[in-house]
Amino acid sequence: MALEKQSPCKVNFLLNLLGKRPDGFHELETLIHPVPVCDRLTFDRKGTNIELTCSDRHLPTDSRNLVYRAAELFLTTAEIKDGVRIHLEKNVPTAAGLGGGSGDAAVTLLGLNELFSEPLPKTKLFELAASLGSDIPFFLQNGPAIGTGRGEQIKALEQFTCLTGKSIILVHPGFGISTPWAYKQMSNFPEAQNGKPGRADKLAALLSKDDLAGAAKEFYNSLEAPALKKYPLLVLFQEFFREQGAMTTLMSGSGSATFAIMESQSKAVNVLEAFKIKFGDKMWLAAVPLSV
Ligand code: C5P
């Protein structure tokens, strides 16, 4: 029997770089929130190797794909000789800062562990996830969380009740931003590269005590510095969403997706229509309730 799983994406309410580390990564603090725009994965025990297919023919289906690498790592670690067939139905754009590929990799670890009757404990899955990429451990759990270290050390948070009923708009402009590129540019922005710690906890505390107006001012992303300079269109998106009454608007992760939090789903849908009139209707757009 095939096992089917949804893989939601994420946005970073805050991504504060705290300096470059000797290993080349950046120390950071981030507040990550899941968003119910999902890829879908199907897992099947079949054959003797890993066979990956994908609805998006532009994506590689070999070891360049994080899903393939996650499957390979899982099977080796769990010492499983059987093969698997995986199908990936892509809805989340790639190189968007929405964690699409990272979520797919995490769900692959979870899906295969379930398919083979849980040979690995959750702690091991977290270890494997962190070795595959900094953003991947977040997707092994399903609520908001604070990430520290290079982003892989995850502290799960309670759902923020003040966000119930709110909606989020996502816009992908049609070009991606490479994560290594974004981080590499940060040496040109020393202030943004060397932020002061404590901002993720502060934002989480404001949201926890339902101070949405206070929280809205604390959303921040160090990686916007190079991205907004290179792509002024992203600044225009944010100006537009602010004019339209967004509670807050920011680039997610290393970009290029922009998000805006709106008071309600009907408001989000209306703003999205206005967005299409202003910027055209060829971009990838979504408006969904901000809860999973
Ligand atoms: O961990 P991940 O594979 O997502 O990282 C991709 C690249 O992004 C890294 O090779 C590194 O250049 C950069 N990065 C960083 N600091 C982090 C996370 C990623 O410099 N905390």
Side-chain angles (χ1 to χ4, degrees):
M1 256 280 276
L3 174 67
E4 208 178 291
K5 284 201 171 288
Q6 303 268 26
S7 177
C9 65
K10 60 87 180 166
V11 292
N12 301 79
F13 284 181
L14 179 125
L15 199 166
N16 184 23
L17 297 190
L18 306 175
K20 196 161 181 196
R21 314 191 321 187
D23 65 3
F25 281 86
H26 285 77
E27 192 70 13
L28 58 80
E29 54 176 8
T30 179
L31 201 171
I32 318 169
H33 200 283
V35 176
V37 174
C38 300
D39 290 341
R40 207 174 67 239
L41 289 107
T42 316
F43 306 94
D44 223 341
R45 291 170 74 148
K46 194 115 188 168
T48 51
N49 53 6
I50 300 164
E51 193 188 317
L52 173 63
T53 52
C54 182
S55 60
D56 181 346
R57 61 186 176 79
H58 299 294
L59 290 183
T61 50
D62 53 20
S63 63
R64 287 169 295 167
N65 192 309
L66 264 176
V67 167
Y68 188 100
R69 288 215 292 282
E72 197 168 44
L73 185 61
F74 174 86
L75 294 174
T76 312
T77 309
E79 296 178 0
I80 291 168
K81 302 273 178 280
D82 300 7
V84 286
R85 183 185 284 181
I86 305 172
H87 181 68
L88 170 60
E89 196 71 37
K90 248 353 244 180
N91 294 311
V92 179
T94 51
L98 298 174
S102 297
D104 296 339
V107 166
T108 299
L109 295 174
L110 292 170
L112 293 183
N113 207 35
E114 191 176 328
L115 196 69
F116 289 99
S117 311
E118 316 279 336
L120 301 182
K122 205 67 187 265
T123 49
K124 191 72 191 170
L125 295 185
F126 271 96
E127 205 182 289
L128 298 188
S131 77
L132 287 163
S134 309
D135 273 356
I136 301 178
F138 167 76
F139 292 100
L140 292 175
Q141 50 95 60
N142 44 29
I146 286 182
T148 52
R150 57 183 168 87
E152 89 288 11
Q153 289 164 33
I154 293 300
K155 182 176 87 178
L157 301 172
E158 294 290 320
Q159 294 286 350
F160 299 118
T161 48
C162 62
L163 295 178
T164 307
K166 306 288 180 281
S167 278
I168 187 162
I169 294 176
L170 303 176
V171 176
H172 184 261
F175 57 85
I177 295 182
S178 130
T179 303
W181 177 86
Y183 277 99
K184 204 158 164 239
Q185 303 311 306
M186 292 312 296
S187 54
N188 300 321
F189 302 90
E191 218 168 294
Q193 189 178 31
N194 298 288
K196 292 202 177 22
R199 297 179 72 163
D201 284 337
K202 183 179 181 193
L203 176 53
L206 287 165
L207 288 167
S208 297
K209 62 177 195 207
D210 296 340
D211 183 356
L212 207 45
K217 298 189 199 94
E218 298 297 329
F219 281 59
Y220 170 73
N221 184 352
S222 312
L223 294 171
E224 277 192 340
L228 299 194
K229 187 158 183 240
K230 181 162 185 200
Y231 302 108
L233 179 64
L234 304 183
V235 180
L236 297 184
F237 289 171
Q238 294 191 7
E239 282 171 7
F240 171 82
F241 287 128
R242 263 184 225 110
E243 279 162 20
Q244 296 288 325
M247 305 175 76
T248 193
T249 176
L250 197 71
M251 185 182 84
S252 183
S254 53
S256 57
T258 297
F259 70 90
I261 298 182
M262 308 303 302
E263 189 55 46
S264 65
Q265 180 64 11
S266 58
K267 175 81 181 158
V269 169
N270 288 340
V271 170
L272 209 56
E273 287 312 308
F275 181 94
K276 287 185 203 165
I277 291 166
K278 189 168 171 91
F279 294 102
D281 60 359
K282 297 282 183 281
M283 289 177 223
W284 182 90
L285 303 166
V288 290
L290 190 49
S291 56
V292 271

